[in-house]
Amino acid sequence: MKLYDGGRVPNARRVRVFLAEKGIDVARAPVDLGKNEHKSSEFSRLNPLQRVPVLVLDDGTILTESIAICRYFEELHPSPPMFGAGAKGRALVEMWQRRLELELYLPAATVFRHTHPAMTGYQVPQVPAWGEANREYVERFLEILDAHLEGRDFVAGDQMSVADITGLIAVDFFKAGKIPPPEKHANVKRWHSSLAARPSARA
Ligand SMILES: N[C@@H](CCC(=O)N[C@@H](CS)C(=O)NCC(=O)O)C(=O)O
């Protein structure tokens, strides 16, 4: 089994943080996005979308999409449960995982991809006005998230889940798009700081 990942980029990091929380070691093959290694014909055979991470299983099966990769490891190593436990617990993790991915990570990534000069060759076409518009989506969701996190340590239930990991990588990615850190959202700040202090966050 081999995990193709790309340094500090958010989706590759999401899988590494997940594996660290689970205590799972996987052989890794670094892909240098700065050198466009993800656009090589060899890598494109693994993932025609030319994105990391990619997990290649021993039988040759290729898994892409960071959450699909995390789910694979969850099935193999169910403890600690990172996708929730029981019908309600799993549904709540799924709900917050999707919210944090679609309503926080995606807008934050869109700000970066559509406004940063370094992304011109990667985000084609690059539409700066669309990038700027997404700052508002980030802000709007932070308000909702902050209210939800009042009195809570984790977004879904009382244990850390993959939804928290998605939140961690989303907030850490603010810097790339020059989105201010969530200073005025005290609950988001507390939640993010405690996730960022875990050893897994250094993965
Ligand atoms: N939905 C995919 C997204 C993967 C993705 O966007 N990966 C980024 C790094 S975070 C990438 O490889 N970007 C290369 C590019 O845009 O050219 C996942 O969750 O794995």
Side-chain angles (χ1 to χ4, degrees), residues 8-16 52-53 66-67 101 105 169:
R8 298 299 290 171
V9 293
N11 285 295
R13 185 169 166 241
R14 170 155 61 170
V15 172
R16 290 200 307 273
V52 292
S66 46
I67 287 297
E101 175 144 357
Y105 172 71
I169 58 126

Side-chain angles (χ1 to χ4, degrees), residues 11 22 53 89 96-97 102 113 126 132 143 147 164 170 174:
N11 285 295
K22 291 265 188 193
W96 280 100
Q97 152 56 29
L102 300 174
R113 295 183 69 93
Q126 194 180 43
E132 291 301 333
E143 295 287 332
D164 295 291
F174 283 9

Side-chain angles (χ1 to χ4, degrees), residues 8-59:
R8 298 299 290 171
V9 293
N11 285 295
R13 185 169 166 241
R14 170 155 61 170
V15 172
R16 290 200 307 273
V17 173
F18 183 89
L19 293 173
E21 283 293 334
K22 291 265 188 193
I24 302 170
D25 246 346
V26 178
R28 300 218 312 256
V31 180
D32 190 335
L33 271 60
K35 290 187 182 150
N36 276 332
E37 284 178 1
H38 61 305
K39 297 196 189 269
S40 67
S41 49
E42 192 193 342
F43 187 82
S44 301
R45 274 196 290 278
L46 299 178
N47 185 3
L49 289 175
Q50 302 180 323
R51 302 268 166 113
V52 292
V54 173
L55 180 69
V56 181
L57 305 186
D58 291 342
D59 70 358

Side-chain angles (χ1 to χ4, degrees), residues 142-176:
L142 283 177
E143 295 287 332
I144 291 166
L145 182 61
D146 198 57
H148 173 71
L149 285 170
E150 179 71 42
R152 287 188 164 90
D153 290 334
F154 302 109
V155 277
D158 48 18
Q159 274 186 36
M160 184 171 175
S161 72
V162 70
D164 295 291
I165 298 178
T166 297
L168 170 73
I169 58 126
V171 173
D172 285 345
F173 202 45
F174 283 9
K175 206 171 167 189

Side-chain angles (χ1 to χ4, degrees), residues 84-193:
K88 192 169 77 176
R90 286 202 186 92
L92 283 168
V93 170
E94 182 76 27
M95 168 182 155
W96 280 100
Q97 152 56 29
R98 286 183 68 80
R99 284 181 158 186
L100 284 156
E101 175 144 357
L102 300 174
E103 308 290 339
L104 190 65
Y105 172 71
L106 191 59
T110 302
V111 172
F112 170 63
R113 295 183 69 93
H114 283 272
T115 63
H116 201 286
M119 290 308 287
T120 314
Y122 295 90
Q123 182 58 53
V124 183
Q126 194 180 43
V127 185
W130 175 232
E132 291 301 333
N134 272 268
R135 292 186 192 278
E136 209 176 299
Y137 289 121
V138 170
E139 186 55 35
R140 208 182 300 166
F141 186 73
L142 283 177
E143 295 287 332
I144 291 166
L145 182 61
D146 198 57
H148 173 71
L149 285 170
E150 179 71 42
R152 287 188 164 90
D153 290 334
F154 302 109
V155 277
D158 48 18
Q159 274 186 36
M160 184 171 175
S161 72
V162 70
D164 295 291
I165 298 178
T166 297
L168 170 73
I169 58 126
V171 173
D172 285 345
F173 202 45
F174 283 9
K175 206 171 167 189
K178 297 192 169 61
I179 298 168
E183 285 301 319
K184 63 179 186 192
H185 301 99
N187 294 317
V188 176
K189 189 178 170 186
R190 169 186 49 79
W191 165 75
H192 173 262
S193 303

